[in-house]
């Protein structure tokens, strides 16, 4: 028989076939026929009582089985083979018998035979049936491997989803505890007019007395991951506003908010209770703003109440020129990455100089964040940066009722 090249040749060459027939001449004929077609591993059994043991030894891909045999007929052999075959495996059986009745054929198919041929058989037809059954087994194995891979992937995803759900519950519990148990406190860092050494404002910064100890930005990131970011930001803003009365009328209070919080009705409600001219809303965002129209509309409403807008992290993340042009802030805050080492880095100075000119066109004031050395401070003054904040000027501190602005001013004057 001529087989198709490539896949069919490989299928026959790699196959193992077991022939069970009580007539040695039939076993010899079928074995030779298979080998001539390219099947390298053939196994013949003339005593059906040995069929199961030989099957377990050879683990064939296909069984050619006679029905009428002494001691055990083909139906009993099929029952034994099917019982020994794992559920996930498929080993096809081709029945070869001299019984041509439809009753016998139907019984054989019900017993587990996958195909049926009557003796005397045509060699070409036998090989065609053999090839077709081997292809079916190959497809079955492919499907099984695919299903195993799919099952493993589904198990992996289910495990990942369970892990993420557990993490979500844990994070939600932490954030709920912070909000419910008053574990949030506010500290304030002075913002100083660099030319006059005069206090112009204070930025409210959140601190968390909660476990596990971690930086404030990680608490806000965790809150965002469980859709509580706006709630936590609003809680921090509310806590800061409660201390607004401890400040004299001059300096402003700068409050951090993401765009999602800036557009929330709850923020507008909080600002309705305080003089808007005392407030700077500092937009903090490390990803692109999804809806500028909604954001600008919300900022417009706040501005009409006297609130000023600052853009944080300019020079880092997405706080670029396009963002500045859309928001048109009253205050532009230089990211600490630009301030750090500006006294020794011409590139940083050039960029800061350009931003100063840009801010003037917007009629905005620049605040340099993260000033940590006297050399950085003097360089920023020489670049005509208007305002600044950082550890060199003053560290964030709580604002007890006994604290006066003169103490903050003294820190600025000593710089």
């Amino acid at each position: 028989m001529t087989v198709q090249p490539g896949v069919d040749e490989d299928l026959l060459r790699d196959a193992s076939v077991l022939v069970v027939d009580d007539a040695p001449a039939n076993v010899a004929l079928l074995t030779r026929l298979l080998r001539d077609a390219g099947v390298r591993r053939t196994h013949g059994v003339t005593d059906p009582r040995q069929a199961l043991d030989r099957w377990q030894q050879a683990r064939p891909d296909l069984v050619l089985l006679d029905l009428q045999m002494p001691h055990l007929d083909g139906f009993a052999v099929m029952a034994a083979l099917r019982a020994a075959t794992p559920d996930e495996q498929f080993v096809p059986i081709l029945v070869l018998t001299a019984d041509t009745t439809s009753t016998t054929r139907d019984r054989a198919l019900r017993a587990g035979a996958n195909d049926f041929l009557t003796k005397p058989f045509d060699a070409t037809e036998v090989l065609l049936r053999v090839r077709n059954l081997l292809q079916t087994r190959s497809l079955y194995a492919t499907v099984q491997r695919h299903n195993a891979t799919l099952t493993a992937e589904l198990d992996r995803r289910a495990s990942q989803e369970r892990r993420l759900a557990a993490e979500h519950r844990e994070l939600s519990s932490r954030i709920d505890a912070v909000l419910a148990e008053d574990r949030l406190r506010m500290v304030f860092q002075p913002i100083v007019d660099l030319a006059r050494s005069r206090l112009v404002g204070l930025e409210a910064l959140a601190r968390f007395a909660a476990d596990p100890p971690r930086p404030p930005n990680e608490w806000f990131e965790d809150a965002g991951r469980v859709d509580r970011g706006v709630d936590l930001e609003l809680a921090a803003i509310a806590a800061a506003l409660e201390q607004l009365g401890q400040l004299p009328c001059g300096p402003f209070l700068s409050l951090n908010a993401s765009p999602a919080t800036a557009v929330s009705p709850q923020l507008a409600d909080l600002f309705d209770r305080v003089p808007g001219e005392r407030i700077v809303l500092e937009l903090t965002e490390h990803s692109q703003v999804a809806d500028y129209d909604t954001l600008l509309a919300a900022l417009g409403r706040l501005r009409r109440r006297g609130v000023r807008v600052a853009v944080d992290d300019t020079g880092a993340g997405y706080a670029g020129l396009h963002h500045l042009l859309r928001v048109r802030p009253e205050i532009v805050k230089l990211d600490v990455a630009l301030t750090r080492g500006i006294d020794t880095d011409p590139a940083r100075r050039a960029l800061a100089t350009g931003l100063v000119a840009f801010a003037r066109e917007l009629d905005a004031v620049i605040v340099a964040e993260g000033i940590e050395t006297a050399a950085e401070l003097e360089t920023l003054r020489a670049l005509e940066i208007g305002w600044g904040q950082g550890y060199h000027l003053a560290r964030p501190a709580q604002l007890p009722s006994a604290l006066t602005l003169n103490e903050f001013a003294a820190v600025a004057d000593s710089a």
Side-chain angles (χ1 to χ4, degrees):
M1 173 192 174
T2 301
V3 298
Q4 296 178 5
V7 175
D8 286 346
E9 290 179 351
D10 293 342
L11 200 64
L12 292 172
R13 183 184 65 245
D14 297 336
S16 173
V17 179
L18 173 64
V19 180
V20 182
D21 194 311
D22 63 315
N26 288 340
V27 172
L29 175 61
L30 289 169
T31 299
R32 184 174 67 254
L33 182 65
L34 291 169
R35 287 177 178 170
D36 289 345
V39 179
R40 295 179 179 177
R41 292 179 294 157
T42 59
H43 314 274
V45 174
T46 56
D47 185 342
R49 293 170 295 182
Q50 300 174 0
L52 180 59
D53 288 341
R54 194 61 183 273
W55 181 88
Q56 291 174 331
Q57 295 170 5
R59 292 297 177 183
D61 302 300
L62 173 66
V63 177
L64 273 57
L65 178 64
D66 188 20
L67 286 182
Q68 277 71 41
M69 296 180 293
H71 308 299
L72 283 177
D73 63 13
F75 296 104
V77 172
M78 273 193 287
L81 296 184
R82 291 303 185 205
T85 303
D87 292 339
E88 68 276 7
Q89 291 185 10
F90 170 63
V91 180
I93 296 176
L94 172 60
V95 165
L96 301 171
T97 179
D99 190 336
T100 61
T101 64
S102 60
T103 301
T104 300
R105 181 195 63 205
D106 294 343
R107 182 187 173 193
L109 294 175
R110 286 196 301 270
N114 302 101
D115 205 348
F116 190 94
L117 276 178
T118 57
K119 300 177 182 178
F121 47 76
D122 178 76
T124 299
E125 187 170 7
V126 169
L127 291 178
L128 286 173
R129 302 294 181 95
V130 166
R131 186 190 65 182
N132 289 341
L133 288 174
L134 288 174
Q135 287 177 335
T136 301
R137 173 176 164 77
S138 177
L139 290 173
Y140 183 89
T142 299
V143 170
Q144 288 295 93
R145 287 193 297 271
H146 174 76
N147 288 342
T149 301
L150 182 60
T151 299
E153 176 63 17
L154 291 174
D155 290 343
R156 184 191 67 79
R157 291 187 181 184
S159 176
Q160 183 181 40
E161 288 174 1
R162 289 192 297 270
R163 178 179 59 80
L164 291 176
E167 291 179 0
H168 190 281
R169 290 192 296 270
E170 182 181 356
L171 290 180
S172 295
S173 178
R174 290 178 189 172
I175 301 304
D176 289 342
V178 168
L179 294 172
E181 300 175 17
D182 194 25
R183 298 182 183 181
L184 172 67
R185 64 184 179 87
M186 303 304 295
V187 296
F188 301 84
Q189 185 171 35
I191 300 172
V192 177
D193 184 323
L194 299 184
R196 299 176 178 85
S197 295
R198 181 173 60 86
L199 185 69
V200 293
L202 295 105
E203 180 180 359
L205 301 168
R207 297 293 183 264
F208 296 88
D211 291 326
R214 58 202 322 188
N217 65 296
E218 293 186 11
W219 281 101
F220 285 106
E221 289 170 2
D222 285 348
R225 290 169 60 188
V226 294
D227 298 322
R228 302 298 301 277
V230 171
D231 295 335
L232 189 57
E233 288 184 15
L234 289 171
I237 290 171
L241 290 175
E242 288 177 359
Q243 302 186 57
L244 181 61
Q246 299 183 42
L247 302 180
C249 296
F252 59 80
L253 179 60
S254 183
L255 302 167
N256 291 285
S258 65
T261 300
V263 302
S264 67
Q266 296 92 330
L267 181 68
D269 291 341
L270 287 174
F271 284 177
D272 281 342
R273 306 169 193 173
V274 297
E277 64 275 6
R278 302 290 313 279
I279 304 300
V280 168
L281 182 66
E282 189 169 321
L283 284 178
T284 59
E285 182 64 21
H286 294 280
S287 60
Q288 291 175 307
V289 176
D291 186 351
Y292 268 105
D293 291 339
T294 300
L295 175 62
L296 296 179
L299 296 181
R301 290 190 292 269
L302 295 177
R303 279 171 164 145
R304 286 192 289 274
R305 298 195 64 257
V307 175
R308 286 172 288 175
V309 176
V311 168
D312 195 17
D313 299 330
T314 301
Y318 288 93
L321 298 183
H322 172 74
H323 186 60
L324 293 176
L325 286 171
R326 295 299 300 269
V327 175
R328 299 276 175 163
E330 287 79 15
I331 298 171
V332 176
K333 302 196 76 174
L334 291 189
D335 186 73
V336 64
L338 283 180
T339 303
R340 192 68 45 79
I342 195 169
D343 54 305
T344 60
D345 188 343
R348 283 182 168 83
R349 291 197 295 273
L351 182 54
T353 299
L355 288 172
V356 168
F358 185 79
R360 285 174 181 162
E361 294 297 322
L362 295 178
D363 196 22
V365 178
I366 286 191
V367 178
E369 296 184 287
I371 304 173
E372 293 196 352
T373 68
E376 289 172 351
L377 176 60
E378 290 307 314
T379 300
L380 293 166
R381 281 173 170 161
L383 294 174
E384 298 184 0
I385 301 293
W387 297 344
Q389 65 185 107
Y391 285 1
H392 181 68
L393 299 174
R395 290 177 176 268
Q398 288 182 282
L399 193 65
S401 58
L403 185 62
T404 68
L405 265 296
N406 289 333
E407 291 174 319
F408 278 119
V411 172
D413 288 335
S414 67

